[in-house]
Amino acid sequence: MCGVLRASDAGKKAVLMGWVNRRRDHGNLLFIDLRDRTGVTQIVFNTERDRTVHEKAETLRNEYVIAAVGTVKLRDANTINPNMPTGEVELVADELRVLNESKLPPFLPSDTALTNEETRLKYRYIDLRRDAMQFNIETRHKVAKAIRDYLSSQGFFEIETPFMTRSTPEGARDYLVPSRVQPGTFYALPQSPQMFKQILMISGFDRYFQIVRCFRDEDLRADRQPEFTQIDLEMTYPQPESVWAVVEGFLTAAFAAAGFEIETPFPRMDYDEAIRLYGIDKPDLRLPPFTDVRDCLSSENLSDLAINPNLPVIAIRIPKVGELSRKERDDIKPMFHSKGGARVYEDFKRIANRYAEAAEKISKKTNMAEGDLIVLVAGSAQASSGEKETAFAPHRKVTPQELAIYTSAGLLRLALAQKYAEQHQCFQKGDFRFLWVTNFPMFEWDEGEKQWMAAHHPFTSPHEQDMKLLEEGVESLHDPLSPLSAVRALAYDVVLNGTELGSGSIRIHRQDVQSRIFRALGMTEEEAKARFGFFLEALEYGTPPHGGIALGLDRIVMILAGAESLREVIPFPKTARAVDLMVDAPTPVSEKQLRELGIVVRKPVGQL
RNA sequence: GGGGACGUAGUUCAGUUGGUUAGAACGCUGCCCUGUCACGGCAGAGGCCGCGGGUUCGAGUCCCGUCGUCCCCGCCA
C-alpha cells in the first residue's frame, strides 16, 4: 500500500493503488503523490522511460483513483524527502491504469486550511479522506478493540440488547418508532440498555458488556450527539471498587492502544468536595481548585463590598495569565452567569488597593504567584435574607445557596481557563487527569416541580447507612427540608480533564427497596407497575446484587484524538439541529407510509 | 425555549465613514519546464456579497425579518 514502501524495498516490482493527492508536472517529468489509508508515496513518470505512460499521466487530476505498476527506486541523496515516511524511495512507473476519474471536489483532502464544517459534513466522504479524520477513526477502532479484548479477557460476555424497545418517559426524551403491526403504538430507541443489562444479571450472565449505540432526543452540544456509543457493562456481587478496577483496566488498555500511558488507580473525591473545590461534579484537575477566602476579609470588608458573610467567598486562580488590560478585565464580567445572587469581583487589583491586608491574606492562601489571575465570587448581601438558608436541608453538607455560589464560580473558572489556555499552558496534549467522583446525592430538588427527583436513575442503590433517612423521607417528597436531601447514592462518575466519561452505580437488587424508591419519587404502586412492572417482577426471582457503569466511547476517543468536538470522531455525525447534512435527514415521509402506520401529522402552527 | 458569533469566488479570507469596474492566496483551465515534494513561470476563467424586505441619489457595508452553521444557558433519570 501507499504508506509502506521503505529503502529496503528498493529494486522490487510494486503495484500501488490509491487517490492522486498532488501532482507536480515538470514537463517531461511528472510526480504524483499517491494516497491511501496508510500514507503517501511518490510516483515518477518520465518520458525517457515511457512516452505513452507519461502522456497518460498528464491527464491525471486530483482525487483520480489509479493503479501504477513500476519499480521501487532508492532516491538520490539530494532528492530524499525527510518529511515523509516513504521519502527515501519512489515508484518509477511503467504502467498506469486510471480506475476512476473524479469531479473537482469542493475541497481537497490535502488542503492545509480547514473548510467550514457545513461543507465538510455535506461531502463527508471527502472530508473523511483527510489525514486527521483517518487518524481519528483509526484511533476509534483501536480503542474499541482494546476495550473488547480487555473485557473479554476478564470474563465479560458481549451481549446484544434490543434497539426497538419500550418507552420509559423519564429523564431524556425518547426517539420513537411507530409500529405498523399494532397501529397507534410505538417502540422507543434505548437511552441506555439499563434494564436489559440488569435483567441479564438476573439471567445468570454474571459479567456483561456491550459497545452499544444509545439515543437521546435532547439538544446537542459539542460533546453531545443524539446517537452516541457507550461502553456499557454490568457485573454481579460488586463493590464500587470492583467496578472501578475493571474500568481502570480497560481504560489503561484503551489509552495504551492510542499510545498513552496512564496511572491507576484514579484518585477519588466525594461529590460534596468536588462542589466545594471546583463548583462542578466533573472537576478539571489540571487547574488549581477554589480557595474559600471568607476568613481573609474582615467583617467591615465584607459589608463594604456588599458580600453575604454567611456564604463562601470563592477565589478562582488561573495561573500565568499575566497583566490584564482594563478591557480584558471588563470582558470577564459577561462571562459570568450568576446563580442565586452570586456576584463576581473581577478586579482583584482594585481590592488590593482598597484592602491591602485582606488582599495580602488572599494571595497567600491561594498560593498566588506573579502573573496569576485571581477573581472572587461571593454571595450578594442583599439577595438572600439569611433565614431560609440556615433552615434548609440540615442534613446536607452543601446548602443550595452555597451550591449556587460554587456553581457560578465553577462555570466562570472553566470559561476563564478556556480563554487563557494559551497563557497558563495547563491543557497540554497527553496530560490525563482522571478522577472518580463518588457519593452523589440520591435525590435532587426540582424547583419547577417542587419535588425531589432521582439524581442518577431510579435503579441506583442508596447507601446502606442512609436507608433510615430514606424511610423517613418517603412521605416528604415535596418538602425541601426532607431527609431525602441527605440520602447518598452508591453512584460514581469517572471524570477526565473536566469531561464526564461515564457514570455508574451499584443497583438495587431487592424488590422492596426498589418499590420504596419509586414511592419516594412520587410514583404510586400502579404507576410503577405500569411502567416497570416487568422489571419489578424480575427482581422478585432471586436477583443477585449487581452494579455497573457506562462510558461514552465517543468522548474517550475525542480526548485521545485531541479533538474539540464529538463530530471529529464520529464518521457521520449530526449538526446542532440534529440534521445529517450528507443524507439530508430527517425528512417528511409519504402519505402512504403514514397511512400504514395510522399516523396523521399535524402541521406546525402558522404553516398551512 | 433563551443568549452570542459567523455567512463575500470551488476553498480560506480581506473589503476603510455608505461612493468608480468587489480583491488576495490556494484550487481550477491552457501553455512552458527533467528532480519536484505546499515545485516553478506565463496567461486565463471564476461572484445572486446566504435569502427577502427597508432606509438612501447610491448598500457587501446601515436597519428589520428569515434561513443555515458553530458555541453557551435551559434541557441531558
Side-chain angles (χ1 to χ4, degrees):
Chain A
M1 296 183 83
C2 297
V4 300
L5 293 177
R6 294 292 181 276
S8 57
D9 296 305
K12 288 186 194 162
K13 271 259 172 202
V15 185
L16 290 181
M17 287 177 272
W19 286 272
V20 173
N21 197 50
R22 266 213 174 87
R23 186 179 64 135
R24 289 179 294 279
D25 189 349
H26 288 240
N28 288 319
L29 186 67
L30 176 66
F31 300 99
I32 293 289
D33 286 345
L34 199 66
R35 182 196 73 238
D36 66 15
R37 207 180 75 191
T38 60
V40 172
T41 298
Q42 173 167 285
I43 304 176
V44 190
F45 296 91
N46 196 328
T47 42
E48 268 174 25
R49 189 155 179 120
D50 192 319
R51 186 161 287 279
T52 26
V53 172
H54 176 272
E55 217 165 83
K56 201 167 177 186
E58 286 195 307
T59 67
L60 295 179
R61 294 295 181 268
N62 282 323
E63 298 308 301
Y64 277 29
V65 183
I66 65 167
V69 184
T71 314
V72 180
K73 191 191 134 218
L74 215 52
R75 296 199 198 180
D76 295 340
N78 58 326
T79 64
I80 285 175
N81 184 349
N83 300 321
M84 53 199 288
T86 62
E88 286 182 86
V89 295
E90 61 196 1
L91 187 77
V92 181
D94 296 314
E95 217 180 302
L96 169 66
R97 218 163 292 166
V98 177
L99 303 176
N100 212 340
E101 301 182 351
S102 168
K103 273 182 31 176
L104 177 66
F107 57 98
L108 292 172
S110 56
D111 279 349
T112 37
L114 198 54
T115 302
N116 81 73
E117 222 179 333
E118 217 174 327
T119 313
R120 287 177 57 205
L121 288 175
K122 180 156 185 219
Y123 298 92
R124 189 60 156 177
Y125 36 88
I126 312 242
D127 186 47
L128 288 171
R129 287 180 194 168
R130 293 170 42 239
D131 279 351
M133 293 308 282
Q134 294 269 323
F135 171 80
N136 291 356
I137 301 301
E138 181 180 353
T139 301
R140 190 181 175 109
H141 160 76
K142 285 182 179 163
V143 165
K145 179 173 187 305
I147 293 169
R148 279 207 169 86
D149 290 347
Y150 178 83
L151 289 174
S152 302
S153 78
Q154 298 297 306
F156 285 80
F157 290 174
E158 183 163 21
I159 305 174
E160 288 158 283
T161 51
F163 274 9
M164 291 162 64
T165 180
R166 199 190 149 84
S167 177
T168 50
E170 207 164 346
R173 276 181 277 261
D174 287 325
Y175 277 101
L176 297 176
V177 180
S179 162
R180 175 186 57 82
V181 181
Q182 317 226 18
T185 62
F186 296 82
Y187 303 96
L189 302 179
Q191 299 176 22
S192 100
Q194 184 60 35
M195 274 183 280
F196 285 105
K197 69 172 171 176
Q198 292 192 238
I199 285 175
L200 284 171
M201 294 304 101
I202 302 174
S203 310
F205 285 105
D206 205 51
R207 293 186 148 209
Y208 141 95
F209 85 101
Q210 192 180 184
I211 297 186
V212 61
R213 199 66 56 82
C214 299
F215 307 86
R216 290 179 192 174
D217 187 4
E218 294 295 341
D219 288 352
L220 290 84
R221 287 281 193 290
D223 62 352
R224 265 166 32 194
Q225 282 273 315
E227 53 176 314
F228 57 101
T229 304
Q230 295 225 299
I231 303 148
D232 191 47
L233 69 88
E234 196 78 4
M235 57 204 282
T236 50
Y237 315 111
Q239 297 298 311
E241 288 78 4
S242 33
V243 178
W244 301 348
V246 170
V247 171
E248 287 165 1
F250 79 65
L251 283 177
T252 301
F255 277 64
F260 295 106
E261 203 179 320
I262 60 175
E263 250 178 73
T264 57
F266 305 154
R268 295 153 197 186
M269 186 182 290
D270 267 15
Y271 168 85
D272 287 332
E273 199 185 347
I275 295 295
R276 263 201 308 269
L277 293 178
Y278 298 93
I280 195 162
D281 61 359
K282 43 181 182 179
D284 190 336
L285 301 184
R286 292 174 299 177
L287 287 160
F290 297 154
T291 315
D292 187 344
V293 296
R294 183 169 14 173
D295 57 6
C296 298
L297 292 154
S298 68
S299 50
E300 292 86 57
N301 295 161
L302 289 168
S303 67
D304 206 23
L305 288 163
I307 289 175
N308 183 334
N310 300 317
L311 289 174
V313 178
I314 305 300
I316 303 168
R317 180 167 72 91
I318 308 288
K320 300 186 199 126
V321 169
E323 188 85 4
L324 291 191
S325 69
R326 175 64 201 267
K327 169 148 194 336
E328 284 172 313
R329 268 183 277 122
D330 287 346
D331 284 345
I332 293 176
K333 259 217 158 94
M335 294 163 72
F336 181 70
H337 297 271
S338 173
K339 311 211 184 237
R343 282 183 58 185
V344 64
Y345 298 85
E346 77 283 356
D347 197 344
F348 186 65
K349 224 174 167 182
R350 208 160 127 226
I351 290 177
N353 285 340
R354 282 168 63 184
Y355 316 105
E357 195 184 335
E360 178 67 25
K361 282 188 197 161
I362 289 172
S363 59
K364 199 159 175 202
K365 194 168 182 189
T366 56
N367 292 318
M368 184 185 184
E370 186 69 31
D372 288 3
L373 171 68
I374 295 274
V375 174
L376 301 185
V377 174
S380 157
Q382 306 93 300
S384 60
S385 51
E387 347 160 15
K388 203 172 148 205
E389 72 213 37
T390 41
F392 199 113
H395 314 273
R396 201 72 167 261
K397 285 194 206 136
V398 179
T399 70
Q401 282 75 18
E402 289 170 346
L403 183 66
I405 306 287
Y406 288 128
T407 310
S408 305
L411 288 173
L412 183 61
R413 174 176 175 269
L414 291 179
L416 288 170
Q418 204 169 19
K419 179 160 180 183
Y420 294 109
E422 295 265 302
Q423 283 94 316
H424 62 62
Q425 298 275 307
C426 291
F427 294 164
Q428 295 302 303
K429 194 165 158 56
D431 183 15
F432 299 119
R433 305 289 296 274
F434 287 94
L435 176 71
W436 287 106
V437 178
T438 64
N439 291 321
F440 277 79
M442 185 83 182
F443 301 96
E444 263 167 12
W445 179 252
D446 186 324
E447 193 54 45
E449 300 280 327
K450 296 273 178 221
Q451 70 165 51
W452 292 92
M453 310 274 275
H456 190 61
H457 57 60
F459 312 111
T460 299
S461 176
H463 256 276
E464 200 63 41
Q465 302 100 294
D466 297 340
M467 284 296 184
K468 247 185 84 190
L469 290 168
L470 177 64
E471 238 158 285
E472 290 165 21
V474 159
E475 304 310 328
S476 55
L477 173 66
H478 297 283
D479 178 3
L481 303 180
S482 166
L484 289 180
S485 66
V487 178
R488 288 165 302 163
L490 283 175
Y492 33 81
D493 279 6
V494 57
V495 173
L496 170 55
N497 294 352
T499 299
E500 179 197 317
L501 286 188
S503 184
S505 66
I506 303 300
R507 326 295 182 189
I508 298 164
H509 65 281
R510 292 170 50 124
Q511 198 270 344
D512 55 336
V513 179
Q514 185 68 70
S515 296
R516 198 178 306 149
I517 294 287
F518 283 145
R519 199 145 33 97
L521 290 168
M523 243 183 267
T524 65
E525 209 163 309
E526 293 76 50
E527 276 177 313
K529 258 208 185 111
R531 259 192 225 177
F532 305 111
F534 69 99
F535 185 68
L536 288 171
E537 194 177 3
L539 283 176
E540 293 186 284
Y541 289 95
T543 301
H546 61 284
I549 194 165
L551 278 77
L553 176 67
D554 316 273
R555 287 184 181 177
I556 293 171
V557 179
M558 176 174 94
I559 291 171
L560 281 171
E564 295 285 315
S565 155
L566 244 38
R567 294 183 300 276
E568 299 300 315
V569 298
I570 297 175
F572 305 103
K574 311 266 189 291
T575 69
R577 276 177 62 255
V579 167
D580 182 327
L581 290 174
M582 187 181 73
V583 305
D584 184 26
T587 57
V589 296
S590 72
E591 202 47 51
K592 178 167 177 264
Q593 282 175 294
L594 289 175
R595 227 183 359 255
E596 276 184 342
L597 296 166
I599 291 179
V600 178
V601 176
R602 206 186 304 164
K603 295 263 192 306
V605 180
Q607 185 193 318
L608 274 168

